[in-house]
């Protein structure tokens, strides 16, 4: 019996198909994020899990023994928001950057931006750089 690959794994899907999930002005923003993530990571974009654009990859293993691979930096464009995947507890690590960022929502590892309009690009760049360095 063949084993099924993990859901969070790189694929051969074209990046454009994921970028097209964002429509209207968000589509141009997705292109901007694509360029920014590529510039910061110095990696080529790869589609992960059918909807996430990842740059580079790293292996991880929890104390429980569970492990896998994940992109070093990643984002998912969407029709209503951009989801940016950062290092665990990023909001506790760099609250001063989030204070400069502009309007956002956050979870433990995700930064949600409805639009890039009004987002401080310098603060976003620093968040990505810090997250990459901490990975």
């Amino acid at each position: 019996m063949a084993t099924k690959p993990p859901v969070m794994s790189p694929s051969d899907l074209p990046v454009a198909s994921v970028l097209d999930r964002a429509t209207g002005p968000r589509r141009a923003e997705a292109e901007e994020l694509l360029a920014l993530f590529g510039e910061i990571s110095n990696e080529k974009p790869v589609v992960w899990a059918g909807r996430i654009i990842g740059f580079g990859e790293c292996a991880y293993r929890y104390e429980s023994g569970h492990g896998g691979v994940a992109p070093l930096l990643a984002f998912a464009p969407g029709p209503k928001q951009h989801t940016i995947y950062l290092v665990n507890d990023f909001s506790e690590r760099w609250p001063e950057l989030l204070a400069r960022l502009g309007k956002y929502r956050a979870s433990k590892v995700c930064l949600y931006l409805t639009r890039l309009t009004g987002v401080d690009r310098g603060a976003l760049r620093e968040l990505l750089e810090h997250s990459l360095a901490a990975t």
Side-chain angles (χ1 to χ4, degrees), residues 1 6 9 11 26 32-33 38 59 61 68-69 75 79 87 89-90 108-109 117 122-123:
M1 176 194 259
S9 60
S11 73
R26 279 190 196 83
E32 182 181 342
L33 290 172
R61 182 154 314 280
V69 293
F75 76 98
V87 70
D89 296 325
F90 69 91
K108 203 162 186 68
V109 297
T117 307

Short mmCIF file of all heavy atoms in Angstrom, two decimals, residues 1 6 9 11 26 32-33 38 59 61 68-69 75 79 87 89-90 108-109 117 122-123:
data_model
loop_
_atom_site.label_atom_id
_atom_site.label_comp_id
_atom_site.label_asym_id
_atom_site.label_seq_id
_atom_site.Cartn_x
_atom_site.Cartn_y
_atom_site.Cartn_z
N MET A 1 0.84 -1.17 0.00
CA MET A 1 0.00 0.00 0.00
C MET A 1 0.89 1.25 0.00
O MET A 1 1.77 1.39 0.83
CB MET A 1 -0.89 -0.02 1.24
CG MET A 1 -1.73 1.22 1.37
SD MET A 1 -2.46 1.36 3.00
CE MET A 1 -4.09 0.79 2.70
N PRO A 6 2.43 13.88 3.01
CA PRO A 6 1.82 14.80 3.96
C PRO A 6 1.12 15.95 3.24
O PRO A 6 1.53 16.34 2.14
CB PRO A 6 2.99 15.30 4.80
CG PRO A 6 4.23 14.80 4.17
CD PRO A 6 3.86 13.81 3.13
N SER A 9 3.28 19.71 1.91
CA SER A 9 4.46 19.31 1.16
C SER A 9 4.50 20.11 -0.14
O SER A 9 3.47 20.59 -0.62
CB SER A 9 4.45 17.81 0.87
OG SER A 9 3.32 17.46 0.14
N SER A 11 4.75 20.98 -4.13
CA SER A 11 4.12 20.35 -5.29
C SER A 11 4.67 20.97 -6.57
O SER A 11 5.46 21.91 -6.52
CB SER A 11 2.61 20.53 -5.23
OG SER A 11 2.28 21.89 -5.51
N ARG A 26 -6.25 42.78 -4.92
CA ARG A 26 -5.47 41.80 -4.14
C ARG A 26 -4.54 40.98 -5.05
O ARG A 26 -3.52 40.48 -4.60
CB ARG A 26 -6.39 40.88 -3.35
CG ARG A 26 -6.86 41.51 -2.08
CD ARG A 26 -7.57 40.49 -1.18
NE ARG A 26 -8.33 41.20 -0.18
CZ ARG A 26 -9.54 41.71 -0.38
NH1 ARG A 26 -10.16 41.55 -1.52
NH2 ARG A 26 -10.15 42.37 0.58
N GLU A 32 3.12 41.58 -5.51
CA GLU A 32 4.06 42.35 -4.68
C GLU A 32 4.63 41.47 -3.56
O GLU A 32 5.83 41.49 -3.30
CB GLU A 32 3.35 43.57 -4.09
CG GLU A 32 4.25 44.45 -3.25
CD GLU A 32 3.55 45.65 -2.63
OE1 GLU A 32 2.44 46.02 -3.09
OE2 GLU A 32 4.11 46.21 -1.68
N LEU A 33 3.77 40.70 -2.91
CA LEU A 33 4.24 39.79 -1.86
C LEU A 33 5.19 38.73 -2.43
O LEU A 33 6.21 38.41 -1.83
CB LEU A 33 3.06 39.12 -1.16
CG LEU A 33 2.22 40.02 -0.27
CD1 LEU A 33 0.97 39.29 0.22
CD2 LEU A 33 3.02 40.55 0.91
N GLY A 38 10.50 36.56 -2.31
CA GLY A 38 11.61 36.05 -3.09
C GLY A 38 12.89 36.82 -2.82
O GLY A 38 13.97 36.25 -2.68
N ALA A 59 13.37 21.42 7.88
CA ALA A 59 12.80 20.27 8.60
C ALA A 59 12.55 20.68 10.04
O ALA A 59 13.26 21.51 10.60
CB ALA A 59 13.78 19.10 8.55
N ARG A 61 11.04 19.04 14.03
CA ARG A 61 10.64 17.89 14.83
C ARG A 61 10.26 18.40 16.22
O ARG A 61 11.00 19.13 16.85
CB ARG A 61 11.78 16.88 14.94
CG ARG A 61 11.36 15.64 15.74
CD ARG A 61 12.11 14.38 15.40
NE ARG A 61 12.30 14.07 14.01
CZ ARG A 61 11.39 13.49 13.21
NH1 ARG A 61 10.20 13.19 13.66
NH2 ARG A 61 11.67 13.21 11.95
N GLY A 68 8.31 17.06 10.20
CA GLY A 68 8.01 17.22 8.79
C GLY A 68 8.86 18.29 8.18
O GLY A 68 9.91 18.66 8.72
N VAL A 69 8.41 18.82 7.06
CA VAL A 69 9.08 19.94 6.41
C VAL A 69 8.08 21.06 6.22
O VAL A 69 6.87 20.83 6.11
CB VAL A 69 9.71 19.55 5.05
CG1 VAL A 69 10.85 18.59 5.23
CG2 VAL A 69 8.68 19.03 4.10
N PHE A 75 3.25 32.51 2.16
CA PHE A 75 2.00 33.27 2.24
C PHE A 75 0.97 32.59 1.35
O PHE A 75 1.30 31.82 0.45
CB PHE A 75 2.20 34.74 1.84
CG PHE A 75 2.34 35.00 0.37
CD1 PHE A 75 1.26 35.42 -0.39
CD2 PHE A 75 3.56 34.83 -0.26
CE1 PHE A 75 1.39 35.67 -1.75
CE2 PHE A 75 3.71 35.09 -1.62
CZ PHE A 75 2.62 35.50 -2.36
N PRO A 79 -9.16 35.46 -1.81
CA PRO A 79 -10.12 36.45 -2.29
C PRO A 79 -10.48 37.51 -1.25
O PRO A 79 -10.91 38.60 -1.61
CB PRO A 79 -11.34 35.61 -2.66
CG PRO A 79 -11.20 34.34 -1.89
CD PRO A 79 -9.74 34.12 -1.70
N VAL A 87 7.12 32.78 12.07
CA VAL A 87 7.60 31.93 13.14
C VAL A 87 6.61 31.97 14.32
O VAL A 87 5.90 32.96 14.52
CB VAL A 87 9.03 32.37 13.56
CG1 VAL A 87 9.01 33.72 14.26
CG2 VAL A 87 9.71 31.34 14.41
N ASP A 89 4.68 32.45 17.66
CA ASP A 89 4.63 33.53 18.64
C ASP A 89 5.28 34.83 18.16
O ASP A 89 5.81 35.60 18.95
CB ASP A 89 5.25 33.09 19.97
CG ASP A 89 4.47 31.97 20.63
OD1 ASP A 89 3.23 31.96 20.52
OD2 ASP A 89 5.10 31.10 21.26
N PHE A 90 5.22 35.09 16.86
CA PHE A 90 5.84 36.29 16.31
C PHE A 90 5.30 37.56 16.94
O PHE A 90 6.03 38.54 17.13
CB PHE A 90 5.68 36.34 14.78
CG PHE A 90 4.27 36.57 14.32
CD1 PHE A 90 3.79 37.85 14.10
CD2 PHE A 90 3.41 35.49 14.12
CE1 PHE A 90 2.49 38.05 13.67
CE2 PHE A 90 2.12 35.69 13.69
CZ PHE A 90 1.64 36.97 13.48
N LYS A 108 -1.29 32.55 16.27
CA LYS A 108 0.02 32.12 16.77
C LYS A 108 1.12 32.18 15.70
O LYS A 108 2.23 32.60 15.97
CB LYS A 108 -0.11 30.70 17.33
CG LYS A 108 0.94 30.34 18.32
CD LYS A 108 0.47 29.14 19.12
CE LYS A 108 1.38 28.78 20.24
NZ LYS A 108 1.44 29.71 21.34
N VAL A 109 0.80 31.77 14.47
CA VAL A 109 1.80 31.75 13.40
C VAL A 109 1.34 32.49 12.14
O VAL A 109 2.10 32.54 11.18
CB VAL A 109 2.22 30.31 13.02
CG1 VAL A 109 2.89 29.62 14.16
CG2 VAL A 109 1.05 29.52 12.49
N THR A 117 -2.94 48.04 1.37
CA THR A 117 -3.12 49.47 1.48
C THR A 117 -3.00 49.86 2.96
O THR A 117 -3.66 49.29 3.81
CB THR A 117 -4.53 49.87 0.97
OG1 THR A 117 -4.69 49.35 -0.33
CG2 THR A 117 -4.72 51.37 0.97
N GLY A 122 8.03 48.70 5.31
CA GLY A 122 9.27 48.52 6.06
C GLY A 122 9.07 47.59 7.25
O GLY A 122 9.89 46.71 7.51
N ALA A 123 7.97 47.78 7.97
CA ALA A 123 7.67 46.91 9.12
C ALA A 123 7.40 45.49 8.65
O ALA A 123 7.85 44.52 9.29
CB ALA A 123 6.47 47.46 9.90
#
